Amino acid sequence: MPPNTRPFFKRITPPGISLLWLAVILAAISFLVAIIPIRGNDFWWQLKLGELIFNQRAIPTTNIFAWTLPPDHPFFYGAWLGELLLYLPHRLGGLELLIFVRNLLALAFFALVAYEARQRSGSWRIAAFVVLLFYVMALNNLTLRTQIWAWLPFMLIALVLHRFTSGQSSPGGYRQWLLLCPLLMLVWVNVHGSYILGLVLVGSYLVGEALRALFKQPGALGPAHIAWLGIASALTAAATLVNPRGIGIYTYFMGLMTDAPSQGLIAEWQSPSPNGIANLAFFVSILLLILVLAYSRYRPSLTDLLLILGFLWLAWSGQRYIVWFGAIAMPILAQGLAQIPNRLPVFTEQRSWLNAVIILLLFIPALLVQPWFVSSLPLPQSYWQIAYPGSPEGPLVGLDTPIEAAAYLKTHPGGRLFNEMGYGSYLIWALPDQGVFIDPRVELYPYEQWQDYIHISQGIQYAELLERYGADRVLLDVYLQAGLAEALASDPGWHMEFSTSRTQLWTRVEK
Amino acid sequence: MKQSEASRRSSRPRLVLGTDQLWPLIILAGFLFYVSLVPLPPNDFWWHLRIGEYIAHNQAVPTTNLFAWTIPADQPFFYAAWLGELLMYTAYQVGGVNLLTFIRTLLAGITFWIAGAEARRRSGSWRIAALALALAALMSLTVPLVRTQMWAWLPFVLFSALLARFTSGQLSPRWLLILPPLMAFWVNVHGSFILGLVLIGAYFAGEMLSALFGRVGQAQPRPLPWHNLAWLGGIGLLTALATLVNPRGIEIFGYVRSLLANSPVQDLVTEWQPPTPHGTANIIFYLSILAWFTAQAYTRFRPSPTDMLLTLGFLWLAWSGQRSVMWYGLVVMPILAQSLAGIPLKGLGTSPPRSRLNSLVALILFVPVLLVQPWLVERFPLPEVYWQQVLRGTPEAALLSAETPLAAANYLTEHPGGKMFQEMGYASYLIWVIPEQGVFADPRIELFTTQHWQDYIRISQGLQYNELLSKYGADRILLSSALQPALAEALQSDPCWQQEYQDQHTQIWARTQLPPASCP
């Protein structure tokens, strides 16, 4: 029987053993991502915003929560759709469902990078290696926050553009797929500020391919294809205007890029240094790229070169961009690795349905650590020192979340509270009426207030500064604000009204 | 007829330059012009000079604190760069600070010229060499200060150049015999001597890999014969042994390790921090990496394992600390030049004709450089904004940074005493001028604890300064109005302190005689 008339089930080929390599890596990544605790900072206030948007059917435009600023102080919630999307699964299935959604998105993200790496290199083993490297460098960017909604749009746009320009499709075959770019952008611009990278992607491809055509490089696209790229770029750029601020979204973006507190005080906006495992992996990946480009037969196209240079510069500018660099550069690295001349033996691909069974089995541990089951798993004790076992909010809540303190404050409300920044995020969710001194909406607060916050947290001139703001209660984290904890402990002007192993609540003594 | 013409050409002096040779000379002249005008900050200069004087007069290297009143005078301290300090003082004795400044410029010129020549040798093109030289120079803009490190520039670039030429078959093994005595010098002038071992190690490992696995590509020279590899290994051993020729012997490595692990040094000193893509020098550094990627995309050149080890190793070093960016530039930019030369571009391989006019232009290029040397610079018409950074018309030297507290030190000479808190750079100058005054903290960073430095920073920021100064028993303050504005502002309204001296840049404050209850 000719192949194309065979029944469908006979046309499916069993997976080869090389796919097991990738399956092992993806399963491990799925497992590790699934047990990442929820860190206070960005999550809770974004969840509250989602709740507000859902209940009021409108996007807030002001401060609302901080007592140190007027409640009607303007603030633009650029990621409003991302916040709403955080709230909806939470409303449907609690924190468990939301965490599961994050896990699925992460798996899809890494799978897409692996797929692209495989397409470029022709090797699942090489794809597995680069995905592992990518995971390590992305370690600091997998927390639950609105950024998770940007992963898929980013990777899908990159995939579509590469397919269109790589000549892998029949002429015009991927033209329709280009329309996905503006459609994805419609969502992306409203879920997270990283939408600008979508424009960087389409722009890089457009410029790169135009230059290739101009210099008549082999494999360059024809004028019709470049015109299609141009149209897709224009539509994608136009799609960015479909947001509550219209073209003002760019003013917001520029404001964020030049916001002194964000750029100067927040670690993930700082340039990376070769310290910490994630950053080390990033720097090692650059060395690998240098090595591979030096010895591989692969010569990056002008477009690929623009992508590497552009995203590398971006990653050097801020640690939070490393994940995007990795998603773009690791498939290119894979392509280079595949073309390094070597005398390694060529293994024949052994295909078997047993491999499929093994792949399924590999994902069982990842299934078992999904949020509904994770608390009953025998994880090491050291893990439960960073995550809350049996918290009322749900599983995998980080121990830096002041759940007990918030419960205490619920029954003992009032006062003008100075709080640790991440605690401010949780208080916005759990006790929005309490009001916060400061929270992770970094660009909301003036630079001086952040400096005061840092000084108070270090116990430097805290009495004078708290007096100036009129704060009469302090909710601190003993690890992050050890200086303040020590100072208050010996200050007769304050007494401790509540404490846990990590949190302390102090009240000013009545004179 | 043709033969005599050829012999006339071959006998033509090499000083007749081609047009393309002007390119690197333009870069070098520009760089040296800039370097010549870098003001001399007090931080790393004066205390080194004082130690050099001590060594010259006492014929011995000191081993203790000596100058800081906040820690015991006999607290051990290792003056590892003792020979560098002695050389500084010797030059100072001959020609003052001006001569030292000139020597710095001369050393920078020779160092970068050697790097440029190496770039030319690798690439075969003066124009490409000029580009490599420009990148190396621009990324080193923050480095060429007058301090003991300047004695290490030449050894470093000589190590690099000699090893490169040896492994490319252009030098006989006997040339490598220069390296061990050079190391014996280097280990005593500056802690960067360890890079000499890194260079030899990289060359040895790289050439071993080449010998084991064969040539990487057609563009590579043949791997070193085994007997030359043996020479390299032997010289490496001798050079390593030469590092023991220092007052501490093998403990010099413990010193380097402790410096690399010293928290105040690593966390508080900017040049020990990883570079970020801000500021001209660092931006050029990062652009050079992008240039490497671009070159690799189009070049026919395949770096040898040695060149790859050097590139990766020095790149990692540069990422770890800004002070290593210059070393990266000196080693890797010539390799980049070689890579760029492998890009098929029209016109790069042509050799423009030589002409005496080019030689004249080359000479003229360096006239401005000569005119800004310390003995002449004050007559040079520089913009006023530049003169605001330096002390003009000082008897001590030309181009002293405006942050050198000359006048305040004169005042203190006439009004000594007290336990003084100073700005760190000022302390370095006081060590030179009034060593008996004593300093709170000075640029011998590793001498002081992390807590001490944290207190210094807080006092300088005007935070808890009364409490902290009382903790140390300090009763006088010498502050920089520009670098410590918060402290200056706090003292203005503090009745516990009264100002006893002020000039454009500095202030001296003394504790008032108010009752202890009023002042902490």
Side-chain angles (χ1 to χ4, degrees), chain A residues 290 294-296 299 302 461, chain B residues 286 292 297-298 302-303 308 463:
Chain A
I290 290 174
Y295 297 115
S296 175
R299 282 287 173 263
L302 206 44
Q461 292 177 319
Chain B
Y286 279 99
W292 179 272
Y298 297 108
R302 287 275 186 272
M308 186 50 64
L463 301 170

Side-chain angles (χ1 to χ4, degrees), chain A residues 271 273-274 280 283-284 286-287 289-291 293-296 299-300 302 305 309 312-313 316 455 459-461, chain B residues 216 274 276-277 286-287 289-290 292-294 296-299 302-305 308 312 315-316 319 458 463-464:
Chain A
S271 295
S273 61
L280 277 173
F283 282 99
V284 166
I286 301 173
L287 298 186
L289 267 170
I290 290 174
L291 204 57
L293 286 181
Y295 297 115
S296 175
R299 282 287 173 263
L302 206 44
L305 190 62
L309 300 185
L312 190 49
W313 192 270
W316 280 330
H455 287 149
I460 297 171
Q461 292 177 319
Chain B
V216 176
T276 62
Y286 279 99
L287 282 177
I289 304 173
L290 300 189
W292 179 272
F293 277 109
T294 307
Q296 286 306 311
Y298 297 108
T299 187
R302 287 275 186 272
S304 66
M308 186 50 64
L312 300 184
L315 184 53
W316 191 270
W319 277 332
R458 286 191 182 177
L463 301 170
Q464 294 176 311

Side-chain angles (χ1 to χ4, degrees), chain B residues 66-119:
Chain B
L66 298 176
F67 306 117
W69 59 264
T70 45
I71 48 181
D74 58 355
Q75 173 134 332
F77 186 75
F78 178 38
Y79 296 91
W82 69 273
L83 182 57
E85 288 150 348
L86 181 60
L87 286 172
M88 282 176 66
Y89 181 70
T90 307
Y92 173 82
Q93 275 194 305
V94 172
V97 176
N98 287 347
L99 179 61
L100 267 170
T101 307
F102 174 73
I103 289 173
R104 178 277 317 268
T105 306
L106 192 62
L107 286 172
I110 298 171
T111 299
F112 280 85
W113 177 249
I114 293 175
E118 177 63 10

